[in-house]
Amino acid sequence: MPSRTPDLPQPSQPPHPPHVTESAGPARPARLPPPPELRQPLQLPQLPQLPSDEDLVEALLGLAVPFEEVNGLLAARTRLARDRGLRTFFEEMLRTQAEAVGTLGQPAGLDRDWAAGTAGGEGLGTLLFVALAPLARAYHRALGIPAEVTGSTLADLGRQLAVSRWRGRSGLGNARWLTLHFRGELFQLGRLQFQRARPIGADASAARAGGADEWSLHLHIPDHCGPLSPAACDRALDRARAFFPRHFPGEPYRSCHIFSWLLDPQLADRLPAESNIVRFQRRFSLLERPDRPSVPEDTNPLKFVFGDIERPLESLPRDTAVQRALIDHLRAGGHWYVRAGRLPLRPVVPAAVPATAPTAGEAVGQEPDR
């Protein structure tokens, strides 16, 4: 694993963060990283800075921020420059999040609606991640992660803003979620997102009791990324099998886990057997979580499929099979549940190494993780 690149702010102690193996000379076997609770955040020599007004538009568009959000974010940038108290409030959170880049399992330290109740706080959540983006990109480069993966991962900022508008809200609906992307815990590989995870303490005991693995990737399905087709899922899983051993060799992931309404077995009773959702379900073995007894979560599928969960069922559109399935089941007195599932992640069988194979340092980051 390569050491940090020069443009990534260096901690004062120790010279190499505990989650990055120092490399010098021939590649050596990867060491298991310390447990997440033992990892220390970076000590930054200085805070990341927001782009100037002239460069902010380009930075926003580079993170897929919708055009209709731009003017409001420029105004938020101006408020930050003029209001010292607001700037102090912003910089305190920026330091917290910047120091957590590269850590695994640290508390998010950020509420879902951070800054929403602060006078003049509109747009600060988005600007926070804009300021973090250069640090996140530098961390990715230090690990040899292709720019294409970095771009699609960080573009979830723009997607979340678009989803909020679709659901009738303004700003970020869940700023806490995006801390995973900008810290380097979550990566988008094609149609699916994969989150590095290692349960600890009580969570680990509960996970083992439910049949989960010590090291497992949490799988997420991003909104508005096209059909959840078997071919698209196959490609994403194949990329994950190659991506994580290459860039995180000390983290032996052998499975994926998902917690989603999409795994509710009742969907198979109301959708065609060859529908994308039912075929997606078949990939997973359902897990029971003693610490999470099943309770109805009817609004969970409604918010993902319809956006607005306040509308009466009879007023919701019935254009697709899944829309009709969700509505008809609820109108018949049924409920929907979030279920947990496990999918083995078979390791990639390495190809024969040619006689003129490049060194590890030369090869890192040269090819996309496909």
Side-chain angles (χ1 to χ4, degrees):
M1 184 182 298
S3 58
R4 288 187 175 275
T5 50
D7 54 351
L8 188 60
Q10 298 291 316
S12 55
Q13 292 291 334
H16 292 271
H19 58 279
V20 176
T21 303
E22 178 184 1
S23 62
R28 57 180 115 172
R31 296 173 294 175
L32 280 178
E37 68 271 23
L38 298 182
R39 296 179 188 175
Q40 299 300 317
L42 297 178
Q43 299 299 316
L44 299 175
Q46 60 183 15
L47 279 178
Q49 298 297 311
L50 273 173
S52 65
D53 288 346
E54 294 181 357
D55 297 329
L56 181 57
V57 173
E58 182 177 353
L60 292 169
L61 299 182
L63 293 166
V65 171
F67 284 99
E68 56 266 38
E69 301 283 345
V70 169
N71 285 343
L73 292 168
L74 288 171
R77 175 72 170 82
T78 299
R79 289 196 300 274
L80 270 182
R82 293 176 177 175
D83 188 325
R84 178 176 297 178
L86 194 63
R87 189 164 61 251
T88 298
F89 170 77
F90 178 83
E91 289 177 350
E92 287 175 352
M93 181 56 68
L94 179 57
R95 178 172 294 278
T96 296
Q97 295 302 320
E99 289 177 344
V101 171
T103 61
L104 177 63
Q106 297 279 0
L110 188 67
D111 293 335
R112 291 173 58 94
D113 55 353
W114 177 76
T118 302
E122 299 85 356
L124 293 194
T126 300
L127 293 182
L128 179 75
F129 293 111
V130 173
L132 286 170
L135 188 61
R137 292 188 182 105
Y139 175 67
H140 283 206
R141 286 196 301 270
L143 296 177
I145 292 171
E148 175 264 331
V149 173
T150 301
S152 60
T153 298
L154 301 188
D156 210 15
L157 174 62
R159 181 186 296 112
Q160 295 305 313
L161 288 165
V163 168
S164 288
R165 279 185 174 263
W166 176 60
R167 293 177 178 167
R169 300 194 300 265
S170 60
L172 287 176
N174 187 357
R176 180 186 299 166
W177 161 247
L178 288 161
T179 63
L180 299 173
H181 306 59
F182 286 78
R183 292 180 178 190
E185 289 194 40
L186 181 147
F187 299 90
Q188 182 156 344
L189 303 174
R191 184 61 184 86
L192 304 173
Q193 293 171 331
F194 299 87
Q195 177 189 345
R196 299 160 56 214
R198 185 187 187 189
I200 59 174
D203 289 340
S205 299
R208 286 192 295 271
D213 301 299
E214 180 182 9
W215 290 91
S216 181
L217 295 167
H218 289 184
L219 192 149
H220 304 279
I221 304 167
D223 296 288
H224 307 305
C225 283
L228 192 67
S229 69
C233 291
D234 285 342
R235 287 192 294 270
L237 290 165
D238 285 344
R239 292 180 69 178
R241 292 184 183 101
F243 179 89
F244 290 97
R246 179 181 299 172
H247 301 295
F248 300 96
E251 300 176 7
Y253 297 108
R254 294 293 180 264
S255 64
C256 292
H257 286 77
I258 185 172
F259 303 87
S260 175
W261 64 273
L262 288 171
L263 263 61
D264 189 329
Q266 298 175 109
L267 285 166
D269 298 330
R270 291 187 172 271
L271 293 173
E274 294 307 306
S275 66
N276 286 341
I277 289 178
V278 174
R279 295 174 74 179
F280 183 77
Q281 286 186 341
R282 293 181 193 143
R283 296 174 183 268
F284 297 87
S285 301
L286 289 181
L287 299 175
E288 298 300 330
R289 288 294 301 269
D291 62 323
R292 294 184 185 179
S294 294
V295 295
E297 297 194 45
D298 298 334
T299 59
N300 195 291
L302 294 180
K303 74 178 180 180
F304 285 107
V305 174
F306 299 103
D308 185 356
I309 62 174
E310 303 298 331
R311 291 172 58 182
L313 293 177
E314 56 269 19
S315 71
L316 295 175
R318 299 175 55 88
D319 302 326
T320 68
V322 70
Q323 288 176 340
R324 294 189 291 272
L326 294 179
I327 294 170
D328 292 345
H329 184 70
L330 292 173
R331 295 187 70 179
H335 294 286
W336 295 112
Y337 297 85
V338 170
R339 298 297 301 271
R342 178 184 183 275
L343 170 67
L345 196 66
R346 297 184 304 276
V348 175
V349 177
V353 179
T356 58
T359 66
E362 293 169 337
V364 166
Q366 297 303 309
E367 296 294 334
D369 298 287
R370 299 191 185 278

